[in-house]
Amino acid sequence: MIDHEALNTLARSHVVPRAAQHFNRGGEIAVSSVIRTCAKVFDVIDPAHMVGTTIVLAPATSDYAVDRSKGQPIVSLHSLLNYLQTGFVLEINPDTSAMFVWHYPPPFNILQTSINAVVFAHHQGSEHFLIAKSKTHLPRLYAGRQSFFSRPSYITLEETLEFYRTRVVPNAECEILKQVWYCENKLFLKAKPEDNIRDSLIAFLRASLRFSAEVMPEQNVNPKNPVDIRVTFLFSPNPVALIEIKWLGKSKSADDNITVSYNNSRAVQGACQLINYLDSFSMSSHSLAKGYLVVLDGRRAKLNRNSKYIEVEHGLRYRDSEIVLPTELSKRCAHSLSVIRMFAPPKCI
């Protein structure tokens, strides 16, 4: 788990000496004010949703002056949600904590303003402090658009799922996941392997996300059906992710008969199901969630009931076959749902 207090200390150690050199005590106070405000801003707004540039600044000298003709005072940082498409410049008064905001770009020159203020800038994951026209860049801790000051959110979950997809599933590194296979060569799955797949993913998510999120199985989002996994992020602007699990391939029962054969249509069914869950969640909780359809892909070509071994050509036939959703469903899924296919290769001869 990332220690955000330690990160704030790191940010101060990067910036305070420069601010103190130019602004004396006023610089140190301004830096602290900007850092505290940034942490609060990114608790309210997920930077992944920001289209424009985010600027947070605080006066550091008595000569500070800006044009306020096109801005407005705000009393709550939630007002910034109205600026997601344009970006914004937020001024914080270190003495009174009063806040003033402009659409980006503001009616004044940011570079020139930094002569008398401490300025923080964020744009699509790239961040720096600007002091007396000089930039101090902050290291990137996350992929994508996340901020140095962001708390764990969807991107943390997505990185965790990607590791599970690329390392755990192909290499059979999880003892729980090993139990889904009917035979050692991983040609067939056992009948009804859903519970083991779910339990494996839950164990991995809990170990990886630890204190940053609560991971719970089979959570009801409507009166009829539960979603497989619900992840609730702690101290995050995006608190909930719903995960539905499906599998593809052939399964066998204990009497060595093929019980079920699932293909792409099973994943399409899962996407429709998850969209309904998201709609139900939105209506019942009056908040948004993001959905993740996790598909364990165990499809093999030229497989019949008597197959004991498989050649590479047939065993890996579906390795790069991504899930195809109908056009209308794909459009509906574009922003609220991600499909993550996890191909599990067999042992080939």
Side-chain angles (χ1 to χ4, degrees), residues 142-160:
Y142 305 98
R145 299 185 176 190
Q146 295 302 102
S147 170
F148 186 92
F149 299 103
S150 296
R151 294 183 184 273
S153 187
Y154 293 141
I155 191 167
T156 316
L157 174 60
E158 288 162 7
E159 290 174 346
T160 303

Side-chain angles (χ1 to χ4, degrees), residues 1-2 4-5 8 34-50 54 56 76-81 84 88 90 120 127 142 146-154 212 233-240:
M1 177 179 168
I2 293 176
H4 284 267
E5 286 301 319
N8 289 345
V34 168
I35 288 176
R36 283 197 305 271
T37 303
C38 285
K40 293 176 182 178
V41 165
F42 293 121
D43 272 349
V44 172
I45 296 176
D46 185 342
H49 294 165
M50 285 292 303
T54 299
V56 178
S76 170
L77 290 175
H78 285 86
S79 299
L80 299 176
L81 293 171
L84 292 181
F88 58 85
L90 176 67
F120 166 83
E127 298 178 312
Y142 305 98
Q146 295 302 102
S147 170
F148 186 92
F149 299 103
S150 296
R151 294 183 184 273
S153 187
Y154 293 141
S212 64
F233 293 100
L234 307 177
F235 314 110
S236 169
N238 299 107
V240 174

Side-chain angles (χ1 to χ4, degrees), residues 128-338:
H128 64 265
F129 277 86
L130 189 61
I131 296 171
K133 297 186 176 182
S134 178
K135 288 184 180 181
T136 299
H137 288 275
L138 291 178
R140 294 194 68 168
L141 299 180
Y142 305 98
R145 299 185 176 190
Q146 295 302 102
S147 170
F148 186 92
F149 299 103
S150 296
R151 294 183 184 273
S153 187
Y154 293 141
I155 191 167
T156 316
L157 174 60
E158 288 162 7
E159 290 174 346
T160 303
L161 289 173
E162 178 64 12
F163 188 91
Y164 187 85
R165 182 186 75 84
T166 58
R167 289 287 301 275
V168 178
V169 171
N171 299 325
E173 292 183 353
C174 173
E175 292 300 322
I176 302 174
L177 195 61
K178 288 179 181 178
Q179 298 174 33
V180 308
W181 299 106
Y182 182 82
C183 52
E184 186 179 349
N185 288 338
K186 298 196 295 182
L187 303 185
F188 302 93
L189 291 98
K190 291 181 180 178
K192 299 182 179 180
E194 295 88 351
D195 288 352
N196 280 333
I197 299 172
R198 182 200 63 207
D199 292 347
S200 168
L201 185 54
I202 286 174
F204 185 79
L205 290 176
R206 284 176 173 170
S208 300
L209 299 176
R210 295 172 53 183
F211 304 112
S212 64
E214 181 183 48
V215 182
M216 297 297 293
E218 293 193 333
Q219 297 294 293
N220 286 325
V221 292
N222 63 40
K224 294 182 179 180
N225 302 107
V227 69
D228 286 319
I229 301 173
R230 173 170 168 165
V231 179
T232 303
F233 293 100
L234 307 177
F235 314 110
S236 169
N238 299 107
V240 174
L242 304 180
I243 301 175
E244 182 66 15
I245 297 170
K246 297 297 180 187
W247 60 271
L248 308 181
K250 291 180 170 66
S251 65
K252 271 189 172 185
S253 59
D255 60 5
D256 204 35
N257 287 313
I258 293 177
T259 54
V260 176
S261 180
Y262 286 141
N263 54 28
N264 188 88
S265 62
R266 179 67 171 172
V268 173
Q269 179 187 356
C272 294
Q273 190 176 341
L274 187 50
I275 283 178
N276 290 333
Y277 289 160
L278 292 169
D279 290 343
S280 296
F281 179 85
S282 178
M283 287 188 291
S284 63
S285 66
H286 303 291
S287 61
L288 298 177
K290 186 168 182 179
Y292 295 88
L293 177 63
V294 172
V295 181
L296 181 74
D297 192 347
R299 290 176 292 175
R300 288 79 171 94
K302 305 289 184 178
L303 199 62
N304 59 57
R305 178 182 177 277
N306 298 317
S307 296
K308 302 297 182 183
Y309 306 96
I310 195 166
E311 296 177 351
V312 172
E313 176 188 0
H314 304 314
L316 303 183
R317 173 73 61 82
Y318 294 95
R319 180 177 55 186
D320 301 316
S321 298
E322 295 303 328
I323 302 302
V324 179
L325 300 179
T327 302
E328 289 304 314
L329 181 59
S330 182
K331 289 180 180 178
R332 195 175 177 194
C333 294
H335 300 293
S336 61
L337 189 154
S338 295

